[in-house]
Structures are given as structure tokens and as C-alpha cells.
Amino acid sequence: MVPTNQTSNKNAVNTTQPARFTQKLDNRELTKTSFWISQIFMIIATVTGVFLAAQEGLSQAILFDSLNRLENNYHLRRSLDDEISANVTTLKAYADLVASNKVYDLKSQRPILLTFVWDNMKYSSSTLETPSHILSKASQFYAQSNDIVRRIETRKYGATFGSKKLRELITDMENSGLAALRTNHQQLANQLTSAGIIISRD
């Protein structure tokens, strides 16, 4: 026969077991419709938030790239304007010199035209974004001015005729080529200003 005190000790041990072993897990909350609806809305909200954030980021990246290209185009065309304008001034002085018939060795007075911007435009990705009529006028100006100067130097053109041809080219460039170029880069400047980008127009 087991002693009475031992039986009581076993009962004491059983009553002191942790509550986690005696409680059953309540899964009733998982079967409620409201729980699943809230989870579905949470997922939808998360996915929507991520999508909208990605869309906003993409829009900002596209806008930044567009404004960056616009600014590059402005500076390129403004620089071309400055360069051609300087060359026009040089050729005007040369035409006056030729017309004066006071120079015997015309080769020693050959006008030095600036071509840094024009030469480097072939390496710029912004060049082909320049309107074709502007590029054509600039190309014709450089080619024809060099040809007229060469013909004057080799006496294929007389002083009067050569200076006249040169002035005709200059007038056409000022009234057509440069005017269109200035209108174009001023439009770009206005767009940049409207977007909050400050540029110098001096």
C-alpha cells in the first residue's frame, strides 16, 4: 500500500503545472469575417502605397531628365549663337577691308573664325535635338563663308564682288539663321524659368 503522504504530494505536483499547458489555444478570432477583411484591406493599402510611390519616383526621374536635357540644349544653342555672332562681326570687318582695295596680300588678312562650339557639337547628344533648319543654316554659313574667303584670296572673286557676296551671306545669316536660333533658345530659357531653374541670359 502506498503511503497517504506520497499520494498527496503527487496531487500537489499536478496542481502546480504552468497555465500554458492547461489552456487551449483560442482560434475563434481567425474564423471571423472582419479579421480577414481587415487583412485584405491592409494588403491592398500596402500594394497601392508601394505602387504610387514607385509611380511618383518614376515621374520625378523623367521630369529631372527632361529638364536636364532642356538645360543642355539651351546652353548649346546659346553658345552657338554667341560664336556665330562673333564670326559675323569678324566677317563684316573683313568685307569692309576687301572692299577698300587697300590690301595687296589678302591671305595675310584671312579672317579667323571661331569654330570651337561648332566643331564640338558633333560629339554632343544634344546636337540632333536642335531643329534641322537651324543646323542647316549654321552649316551653310561656315561652309559658304570659307568658300567666299578662299575665292577672294585666289582672285576668283574681285574685291567688290567678293565683299558683296560675303555681305549677302552675313545678312541672310543674321535675318534668318541667327534670328531663328535666338527665338529657339529664348523659348528654352522661358521653359526652364517656368520650371524654377534660374539661368543667366547675359
Side-chain angles (χ1 to χ4, degrees):
M1 178 177 290
V2 179
T4 304
N5 61 346
Q6 291 182 2
T7 302
S8 61
N9 288 338
K10 286 182 179 180
N11 292 335
V13 171
N14 290 336
T15 57
T16 58
Q17 289 294 323
R20 67 175 181 272
F21 292 111
T22 60
Q23 294 179 348
K24 293 183 179 181
L25 182 63
D26 185 6
N27 292 329
R28 287 178 297 175
E29 186 67 25
L30 297 178
T31 63
K32 291 182 179 180
T33 304
S34 61
F35 171 79
W36 291 109
I37 291 176
S38 65
Q39 293 301 308
I40 290 172
F41 276 111
M42 186 178 298
I43 293 171
I44 292 174
T46 302
V47 172
T48 303
V50 171
F51 175 76
L52 291 177
Q55 285 291 100
E56 180 64 21
L58 179 61
S59 298
Q60 290 297 321
I62 293 173
L63 178 61
F64 176 80
D65 181 65
S66 176
L67 291 175
N68 187 53
R69 288 171 58 187
L70 197 66
E71 187 173 9
N72 288 340
N73 274 292
Y74 166 76
H75 289 300
L76 177 68
R77 296 172 202 179
R78 176 63 189 273
S79 297
L80 181 62
D81 181 355
D82 292 342
E83 181 175 272
I84 292 178
S85 296
N87 288 333
V88 162
T89 300
T90 299
L91 289 174
K92 282 181 178 179
Y94 178 75
D96 292 340
L97 179 66
V98 170
S100 69
N101 283 308
K102 294 180 179 179
V103 180
Y104 177 75
D105 184 10
L106 289 170
K107 289 185 179 181
S108 65
Q109 300 298 322
R110 175 179 296 179
I112 300 175
L113 301 184
L114 304 175
T115 60
F116 176 80
V117 176
W118 182 246
D119 289 341
N120 281 276
M121 282 179 68
K122 67 181 70 174
Y123 306 110
S124 172
S125 59
S126 300
T127 298
L128 295 181
E129 296 179 23
T130 304
S132 59
H133 65 279
I134 292 176
L135 289 178
S136 295
K137 276 294 181 183
S139 178
Q140 291 170 11
F141 172 75
Y142 279 106
Q144 292 179 15
S145 61
N146 286 329
D147 181 62
I148 292 172
V149 169
R150 180 181 58 80
R151 289 173 182 270
I152 291 173
E153 289 177 347
T154 57
R155 307 293 180 177
K156 290 183 178 180
Y157 283 169
T160 302
F161 182 76
S163 61
K164 177 185 175 183
K165 294 289 290 184
L166 202 51
R167 288 194 180 103
E168 288 175 352
L169 177 65
I170 291 170
T171 300
D172 180 61
M173 190 64 207
E174 286 181 321
N175 296 336
S176 180
L178 277 177
L181 179 56
R182 284 170 187 161
T183 298
N184 183 264
H185 70 63
Q186 285 170 5
Q187 289 174 346
L188 296 183
N190 293 337
Q191 292 179 46
L192 289 168
T193 301
S194 297
I197 298 177
I198 306 302
I199 57 173
S200 174
R201 305 196 192 195
D202 297 334

